[in-house]
Amino acid sequence: MLDFFSIFSKGGIVLWCYTFQGVKANFTEPINALIKTVLLQERGGNSQFTHGPLQMQYKLDNEFELVFVVGFQKVLTLLYVDKLITDVHRDFRDRYRKKLLDIQFIEKVKKILCVLDNAEVKESNKVTTMRTFDKSGKSQKTIKSMTIDKNKDPKEVETKKKPSTPKAKKPVEGPTNGTTVANNSTDMDQIARNREAMSKRMATGKGAGKGKKTSQKKGKSARIWENGGNSKDAEALDYSGLQNEPLTNGHGEENNITDEQVKSLQIFIELSTCDLEIEEEEMIIEEEAESKSDTNICSYRKSSGGLFSMFRGLVGSKALSKEALQPVLDSMSDHLIGKNVAADIAQKMCDSVSNKLEGKILGTFSTIASTVKQSLNESLVQILTPKRRVDILRDVLEAQRAGKPYVITFCGVNGVGKSTNLAKICFWLMENGFRVLIAACDTFRAGAVEQLRTHKTRLHTLHPPSMHGGRDGVCLFEKGYGKDAAGIAMQAINAAKEQRYDVVLVDTAGRMQDNEPLMRSLAKLITVNTPDLVLFVGEALVGNEAVDQLVKFNQALADYSNSEKPRTIDGIVLTKFDTIDDKVGAAISMTYTTGQPIVFVGTGQSYPDLRSLNAKAVVHALLK
């Protein structure tokens, strides 16, 4: 029996929700957990999610940005849930599309458009009447304003004048009296004089222009090449009649070509031939690529242009299908495995990208290569970005105000560098002005206490008591070998509280994830002492083994703990990160498995070689 069925958008708007009969629980918390853990963390490879006693199955609609979720009790085995969610998804899509393409809505839009068109036509068909003379500006002018005063400065008169467009005068129909005839004759004489003066000015202007042209510099002359030759030099260049003289190409024996010139000429010929061969090869490659894209555009082939170069050129506004994405996802999975990502993690990430892109509409200028690469980049950055920020310095200051030490426990398999990275973190804390107590709880491995004692001596030399107000900046708490690790950790924490140490670093024995006695001892230590932070120390060199280690460590801490809410791993310290070049897949595997952040990255053998993880740099190296 189902508990609820909900449909909501990726933006957080609930479109439809139904709670089945007899169910009174509130499902807001499980759905919020699904959104935070799966959708926001790009873990959509699996269509199922468990939250407490509730099992949820979901389906993504990338075209309309919708999420369909069905919830039921995980003790039940319901085989019809897949078909139910698929049928409801299809029916809801059809109804959603029909709602958008509703005929009544279209008719309403057409009516609004018709009203606006008619209003625009009426506005354009309005007849504009001319203004009368009384309404124009000329009616405001007087005779006094049109007369010219010779005593005034002409510049002042010009500034007062308004620019006006000249209008053509109406032709005079005929003489009405003697006065108009006289005026007309004087105007004609004035026009004739003006024409004569204009013709003189034009004549003088042409003459001046010719003078200027003659004074200009001479134009650029044709270039004469040395030893170019012409028809006049034919006889001098004809050496066919000189049969008795040596062939020296017109030069004396003293001007023959030297051996160095011959070698330089040979080198030049070889370089030019090489360039021609490269150009021919590039043309052949381009022709082959064009012929292959014409014959079969869907044939995917590997090239040296990178992981996504095989999909370049596939464009179009179409919905992405699983069949179209499968070749690139297979290639992407192989690429991630080659970068040291665990095989099952790589497959889950490919499934997540497939679910995210399936049904998505590509734009006209979007390619499958750019879309897949962008989606993968976003997913990887989101995975490496921690859900919660682990700020150790802030937490230590809060513990100081509470009057108790801040406790960090280190765990991991053998030989990964727990003690070395514990010393690096101790140095980092001392650099920030905190006093540190190291608890030697590795009572199993011979030499573990002596190793910590050596680190303590070196750190004490780097940070003498004078740098910490006359008190020791670092101290080692040890009880020898063969003792109970949980008891030693408790005594160390109490001693740190009495002596006012700020931080307690608990070193534990390295153990394989399948060693049950040692895993029980670790679970007991964490349960009894309740440390503030549990860090798993792992190597950056491992691939599939990283997933197995983390899963079994978390499972052992949960199984062998007596508390209702067992403590699991809170963060990861990734060691030997400087030895892997661009094979950074272990970071993705560990983070994806636990969902916990990578707090520190070890990049060398000295104490300052401790860094925080740059998610974008890791993703760039992973996709390179």
Side-chain angles (χ1 to χ4, degrees):
M1 180 181 176
L2 299 179
D3 287 0
F4 70 93
F5 198 122
S6 179
I7 303 173
F8 57 91
S9 68
K10 290 185 178 179
I13 301 174
V14 179
L15 304 178
W16 182 80
C17 185
Y18 180 73
T19 303
F20 289 88
Q21 188 175 5
V23 180
K24 298 181 180 180
N26 188 5
F27 301 108
T28 304
E29 184 180 351
I31 293 178
N32 287 338
L34 171 68
I35 294 172
K36 292 178 182 178
T37 308
V38 178
L39 301 182
L40 295 181
Q41 292 294 321
E42 300 291 345
R43 299 172 186 270
N46 189 7
S47 61
Q48 294 181 352
F49 176 71
T50 303
H51 181 76
L54 200 65
Q55 177 80 21
M56 285 179 283
Q57 192 155 337
Y58 62 92
K59 184 177 180 63
L60 303 179
D61 188 333
N62 296 305
E63 183 177 356
F64 293 108
E65 300 290 329
L66 302 177
V67 182
F68 297 77
V69 183
V70 175
F72 54 93
Q73 296 297 318
K74 67 179 181 181
V75 296
L76 302 176
T77 304
L78 304 179
L79 302 177
Y80 58 84
V81 176
D82 286 336
K83 190 173 188 312
L84 171 68
I85 200 169
T86 303
D87 294 344
V88 173
H89 168 236
R90 188 186 303 111
D91 185 66
F92 190 84
R93 276 173 55 95
D94 295 340
R95 289 177 183 273
Y96 192 63
R97 187 182 289 111
K98 289 176 182 178
K99 202 73 177 176
L100 290 176
L101 303 176
D102 193 0
I103 297 175
Q104 296 179 359
F105 181 73
I106 294 174
E107 293 296 331
K108 190 177 291 186
V109 172
K110 287 182 178 179
K111 286 181 181 180
I112 296 172
L113 183 62
C114 183
V115 170
L116 294 175
D117 286 341
N118 293 334
E120 187 176 357
V121 170
K122 288 181 180 179
E123 189 69 24
S124 61
N125 291 337
K126 280 185 179 180
V127 180
T128 56
T129 57
M130 295 182 65
R131 293 181 298 172
T132 61
F133 181 75
D134 296 334
K135 293 181 180 180
S136 65
K138 289 184 178 180
S139 63
Q140 307 298 328
K141 291 183 178 180
T142 60
I143 297 174
K144 186 177 180 181
S145 65
M146 290 186 286
T147 57
I148 300 173
D149 191 357
K150 296 181 179 180
N151 297 324
K152 289 185 177 181
D153 191 1
K155 293 183 179 180
E156 296 179 0
V157 176
E158 288 178 2
T159 55
K160 291 181 180 179
K161 284 184 179 180
K162 293 183 179 180
S164 59
T165 55
K167 294 185 179 180
K169 295 182 179 180
K170 292 184 180 180
V172 181
E173 294 179 357
T176 55
N177 50 31
T179 307
T180 46
V181 173
N183 291 335
N184 192 15
S185 62
T186 56
D187 291 342
M188 294 298 293
D189 293 340
Q190 184 67 29
I191 291 171
R193 286 195 297 272
N194 292 339
R195 286 181 178 177
E196 185 177 357
M198 185 179 292
S199 62
K200 288 181 180 179
R201 285 197 300 270
M202 293 177 66
T204 55
K206 288 181 180 179
K210 289 180 181 178
K212 286 182 181 178
K213 286 182 181 178
T214 55
S215 64
Q216 288 179 356
K217 292 183 179 180
K218 194 175 182 181
K220 195 173 182 180
S221 59
R223 187 168 185 175
I224 300 174
W225 297 92
E226 295 181 1
N227 298 329
N230 52 29
S231 58
K232 296 179 182 180
D233 301 330
E235 296 180 359
L237 296 173
D238 186 9
Y239 297 99
S240 59
L242 304 175
Q243 298 180 359
N244 297 327
E245 295 184 7
L247 298 176
T248 59
N249 290 334
H251 300 280
E253 293 182 0
E254 67 279 5
N255 293 329
N256 287 340
I257 300 174
T258 62
D259 295 337
E260 294 179 358
Q261 293 175 340
V262 173
K263 290 181 180 179
S264 62
L265 185 61
Q266 290 176 351
I267 294 171
F268 174 77
I269 293 172
E270 289 177 358
L271 290 174
S272 59
T273 309
C274 181
D275 291 337
L276 290 173
E277 291 176 356
I278 292 172
E279 291 178 358
E280 290 176 357
E281 289 177 0
E282 291 177 352
M283 292 173 64
I284 292 170
I285 292 171
E286 291 177 358
E287 291 175 358
E288 290 177 355
E290 290 177 359
S291 62
K292 288 187 178 182
S293 63
D294 292 337
T295 55
N296 187 10
I297 196 169
C298 293
S299 62
Y300 297 95
R301 59 187 180 84
K302 292 186 177 179
S303 63
S304 61
L307 173 62
F308 300 95
S309 62
M310 64 188 77
F311 309 103
R312 208 166 287 142
L314 298 178
V315 297
S317 55
K318 59 179 182 179
L320 288 174
S321 62
K322 210 161 196 175
E323 292 75 15
L325 290 171
Q326 196 58 42
V328 64
L329 294 176
D330 293 341
S331 178
M332 182 177 68
S333 177
D334 296 339
H335 180 79
L336 292 176
I337 293 172
K339 293 287 186 177
N340 221 12
V341 179
D344 55 343
I345 301 298
Q347 188 59 44
K348 288 179 181 178
M349 292 179 60
C350 293
D351 295 340
S352 177
V353 172
S354 176
N355 294 335
K356 185 178 179 181
L357 295 179
E358 186 180 357
K360 187 175 181 180
I361 303 297
L362 284 180
T364 305
F365 299 102
S366 298
T367 62
I368 295 180
S370 61
T371 305
V372 172
K373 189 171 184 179
Q374 182 180 1
S375 177
L376 180 61
N377 194 350
E378 292 174 357
S379 300
L380 292 173
V381 171
Q382 190 65 40
I383 289 170
L384 289 175
T385 303
K387 293 184 291 184
R388 62 180 185 88
R389 185 183 177 189
V390 179
D391 194 341
I392 296 178
L393 298 180
R394 180 198 61 192
D395 296 339
V396 171
L397 291 174
E398 290 182 358
Q400 274 185 343
R401 287 192 288 269
K404 62 177 184 178
Y406 186 79
V407 183
I408 303 176
T409 300
F410 294 83
C411 62
V413 298
N414 307 82
V416 294
K418 289 186 300 301
S419 301
T420 303
N421 284 272
L422 181 146
K424 290 181 182 179
I425 295 174
C426 179
F427 175 78
W428 174 68
L429 290 169
M430 295 172 69
E431 286 286 320
N432 285 278
F434 298 115
R435 299 178 65 229
V436 183
L437 178 68
I438 301 175
C441 296
D442 184 0
T443 61
F444 183 79
R445 177 175 64 91
V449 177
E450 288 76 10
Q451 183 182 5
L452 291 177
R453 191 180 296 129
T454 304
H455 283 302
K456 177 253 180 184
T457 304
R458 294 190 61 188
L459 291 170
H460 193 272
T461 304
L462 295 173
H463 280 266
S466 59
M467 298 178 65
H468 296 275
R471 296 181 297 176
D472 291 337
V474 59
C475 181
L476 177 65
F477 187 89
E478 55 172 305
K479 291 294 181 180
Y481 295 99
K483 305 291 179 62
D484 182 23
I488 296 175
M490 182 179 291
Q491 295 176 24
I493 294 171
N494 293 330
K497 190 179 296 185
E498 293 174 0
Q499 301 175 21
R500 291 192 169 184
Y501 280 93
D502 301 316
V503 185
V504 178
L505 302 181
V506 181
D507 183 31
T508 61
R511 64 206 75 206
M512 295 305 294
Q513 61 270 25
D514 298 323
N515 192 330
E516 183 178 344
L518 289 178
M519 293 305 297
R520 284 183 179 274
S521 175
L522 178 63
K524 178 185 175 183
L525 185 148
I526 294 174
T527 303
V528 170
N529 296 284
T530 60
D532 298 289
L533 187 66
V534 179
L535 293 180
F536 177 85
V537 184
E539 283 183 325
L541 301 170
V542 296
N544 294 329
E545 185 68 15
V547 178
D548 187 60
Q549 290 173 5
L550 282 167
V551 169
K552 291 187 175 179
F553 261 81
N554 268 333
Q555 191 65 38
L557 292 177
D559 292 343
Y560 302 141
S561 176
N562 298 325
S563 62
E564 296 180 356
K565 294 183 179 179
R567 285 290 301 277
T568 55
I569 294 169
D570 299 320
I572 300 167
V573 177
L574 205 56
T575 65
K576 306 175 185 178
F577 205 75
D578 55 323
T579 63
I580 57 174
D581 195 19
D582 60 344
K583 297 185 182 298
V584 294
I588 298 293
S589 301
M590 292 182 176
T591 310
Y592 193 95
T593 302
T594 61
Q596 302 301 333
I598 295 176
V599 183
F600 293 110
V601 173
T603 58
Q605 295 295 320
S606 59
Y607 291 131
D609 294 334
L610 199 67
R611 300 287 184 273
S612 59
L613 185 70
N614 188 342
K616 292 184 178 179
V618 172
V619 172
H620 177 73
L622 197 63
L623 297 180
K624 189 167 62 174

